[in-house]
Amino acid sequence: GEKIQGQPVLNTDFYVTIRLADGATKTWARENGHPRVEIVDPLQAHVDIMMHLNDTDMHNLTAYLATLK
């Protein structure tokens, strides 16, 4: 199928709306999960690492980052 990329505006079980690169918006009605929507979060790696670090690791990471100023 056709792949269209843009910024998500609305994503429900019934409608999908995205903002295209030219600023226009496009909306599709959804039925049984189609069209399929894949949202890629560029910050997901940060969320994932926070779930694996304990308090000591977070403290050490923060202390290290403070030395980079």
Side-chain angles (χ1 to χ4, degrees):
E2 183 180 2
K3 185 182 225 183
I4 299 175
Q5 295 182 342
Q7 292 294 108
V9 175
L10 176 69
N11 183 22
T12 69
D13 290 338
F14 306 105
Y15 294 100
V16 175
T17 302
I18 63 169
R19 186 173 326 285
L20 303 173
D22 65 0
T25 58
K26 188 155 174 98
T27 301
W28 295 268
R30 294 187 80 193
E31 185 174 328
N32 296 326
H34 292 88
R36 189 172 71 84
V37 177
E38 181 179 330
I39 297 178
V40 178
D41 183 1
L43 300 177
Q44 187 60 45
H46 297 278
V47 173
D48 293 343
I49 193 71
M50 285 179 17
M51 298 303 179
H52 292 90
L53 295 178
N54 60 33
D55 288 342
T56 303
D57 292 335
M58 186 64 81
H59 172 75
N60 292 338
L61 176 61
T62 306
Y64 168 73
L65 291 174
T67 67
L68 299 178
K69 290 183 180 180

